[in-house]
Amino acid sequence: MTLKRPPNPVPERSRSSLRLAALLLATLLVTGCATLRPPDPMTLEQVIELSKNGTPPEDIITRLQETRTVIAISGARFAKLRELGVDDSVLDYLQKSYVSAVEMEARMRYQNPYWGYGGWGPPYRPMFGPWPYRYYW
């Protein structure tokens, strides 16, 4: 007695076209994310213009956050911006974003982002030692 195979419900040609469609869909999903471009950062002139036009400070701060704008401003320039009508909360946000960016740059430069300070030991930190100094400075 020979066993008969049941007929294949999906023909071979249909399977290959499904595989091709899945491959194309995966390719489109992967490349679609890679082509997104972040928005251009705002300039200081745009911030001044928005303030002069009467845009609420919360909206200006939201746009600065969405565009990830970081502007280095000197103390004298802060006074001029205040005279030009830029709100204090916007100036505070600009200062805080600049300080945060400088701190992050220093952290990325001098600390290993995956293992904390240094990594494997000296010269960064002692990995072994007496109790109070183990893993601490």
Side-chain angles (χ1 to χ4, degrees):
M1 179 169 143
T2 60
L3 294 174
K4 282 189 168 183
R5 263 186 157 169
N8 195 350
V10 180
E12 186 62 35
R13 183 175 177 178
S14 176
R15 273 193 217 154
S16 63
S17 62
L18 284 175
R19 287 181 190 151
L20 180 62
L23 180 67
L24 287 175
L25 181 63
T27 304
L28 285 174
L29 288 174
V30 169
T31 58
C33 294
T35 58
L36 294 178
R37 189 171 157 254
D40 293 330
M42 292 177 64
T43 63
L44 199 53
E45 289 75 23
Q46 290 173 332
V47 173
I48 294 169
E49 190 64 34
L50 287 172
S51 295
K52 285 183 178 179
N53 290 340
T55 307
E58 295 81 20
D59 293 345
I60 297 173
I61 291 172
T62 302
R63 284 194 58 193
L64 288 168
Q65 289 171 343
E66 289 172 352
T67 58
R68 297 181 181 175
T69 300
V70 176
I71 303 173
I73 303 173
S74 65
R77 186 72 182 193
F78 266 105
K80 289 180 184 175
L81 289 172
R82 178 79 173 115
E83 290 172 3
L84 289 172
V86 179
D87 193 68
D88 287 338
S89 60
V90 175
L91 294 175
D92 289 341
Y93 174 77
L94 288 171
Q95 181 66 25
K96 288 177 186 176
S97 66
Y98 178 69
V99 169
S100 296
V102 169
E103 287 175 352
M104 182 58 75
E105 182 183 348
R107 198 173 293 134
M108 290 292 110
R109 181 175 296 171
Y110 297 112
Q111 292 179 8
N112 183 338
Y114 301 107
W115 298 102
Y117 267 107
W120 295 107
Y124 303 107
R125 69 176 177 192
M127 291 297 285
F128 304 103
W131 172 75
Y133 302 109
R134 187 178 210 172
Y135 302 114
Y136 303 107
W137 277 109

